[in-house]
């Protein structure tokens, strides 16, 4: 997303890696609502990666895209919201999907968005549900995941546990 269309603030000290040639990267965004609950959407049963699993907003970095542009694009495509601020890096992980496409690097961020948080414009062809998760509902994020495959659960738990003050 070009900077002249929409300005995104990145807080001081937030790392945004630059992918090296040949690396496959993805980004993820944890969005908190006014109650401090985190947004997640359930992937459809026919998705190649992680079918029927809860996921945060995000996706793969396309050729020629920087991570920040990908983050803004994915937030808007998957929810209709607009990325306003990147608060902090929640973590960088390396994983291999169950789709046979090899190793990926993923940078996940706690972000703020503009838009109606009560009415996300989900891509219903890709997702079947959404919900807001507080500490009491985190166990649901482990649905349809193998033991130890709790990246989404752990990211949201981290965001809820040591989140900065919300605006």
């Amino acid at each position: 997303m070009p900077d002249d269309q929409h300005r995104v603030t990145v807080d001081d000290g937030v790392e945004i890696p630059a992918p090296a040639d040949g690396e496959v990267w993805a980004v993820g965004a944890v969005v908190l609502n006014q109650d401090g609950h985190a947004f997640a959407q359930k992937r459809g049963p026919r998705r190649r990666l992680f079918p029927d699993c809860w996921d945060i907003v995000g996706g793969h970095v396309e050729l020629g895209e920087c991570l920040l542009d990908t983050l803004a694009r994915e937030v808007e495509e998957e929810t209709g919201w607009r990325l306003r601020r990147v608060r902090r890096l929640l973590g960088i992980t390396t994983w291999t999907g169950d789709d046979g496409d090899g190793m990926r690097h993923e940078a996940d961020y706690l972000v703020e968005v503009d838009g109606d948080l009560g009415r996300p414009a989900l891509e219903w062809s890709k997702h079947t549900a959404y919900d807001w998760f507080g500490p009491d509902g985190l166990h649901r994020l482990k649905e349809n995941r193998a033991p130890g495959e709790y990246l989404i659960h752990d990211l949201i738990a981290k965001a809820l546990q040591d989140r900065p003050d919300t605006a």
Side-chain angles (χ1 to χ4, degrees):
M1 174 176 300
D3 285 342
D4 60 340
Q5 287 183 355
H6 183 75
R7 195 72 165 145
V8 176
T9 302
V10 178
D11 285 7
D12 290 340
V14 174
E15 178 186 358
I16 300 183
D21 287 343
E23 288 182 337
V24 177
W25 278 80
V27 295
V30 175
V31 177
L32 301 179
N33 66 12
Q34 66 278 5
D35 297 324
H37 292 173
F39 178 83
Q41 51 197 352
K42 195 161 198 179
R43 297 172 66 85
R46 291 183 176 82
R47 298 292 301 272
R48 234 174 19 127
L49 280 172
F50 315 116
D52 276 328
C53 294
W54 288 101
D55 200 2
I56 57 176
V57 175
H60 287 90
V61 177
E62 295 178 358
L63 187 62
E65 229 178 8
C66 72
L67 269 65
L68 186 60
D69 287 345
T70 302
L71 197 62
R73 176 180 55 76
E74 290 289 350
V75 166
E76 191 156 359
E77 284 178 2
E78 293 188 8
T79 65
W81 303 328
R82 296 201 59 172
L83 182 64
R84 174 176 16 109
R85 181 177 178 192
V86 179
R87 304 273 324 237
R88 69 186 181 93
L89 176 66
L90 294 170
I92 296 176
T93 56
T94 301
W95 54 273
T96 301
D98 51 7
D99 61 353
D101 283 348
M103 186 174 68
R104 296 162 174 88
H105 306 277
E106 181 170 334
D108 296 298
Y109 297 92
L110 178 63
V111 303
E112 293 177 3
V113 297
D114 291 323
D116 184 351
L117 297 183
R119 297 176 52 100
L122 254 58
E123 294 178 288
W124 291 109
S125 64
K126 296 179 180 181
H127 299 97
T128 59
Y130 72 90
D131 207 348
W132 293 92
F133 291 83
D136 294 341
L138 289 177
H139 65 280
R140 291 180 45 224
L141 295 167
K142 295 179 179 180
E143 291 174 359
N144 301 322
R145 299 302 305 147
E149 293 181 348
Y150 300 143
L151 175 64
I152 301 306
H153 170 276
D154 295 349
L155 285 169
I156 289 179
K158 182 176 183 177
L160 295 179
Q161 182 179 23
D162 43 274
R163 69 185 179 99
D165 294 324
T166 56

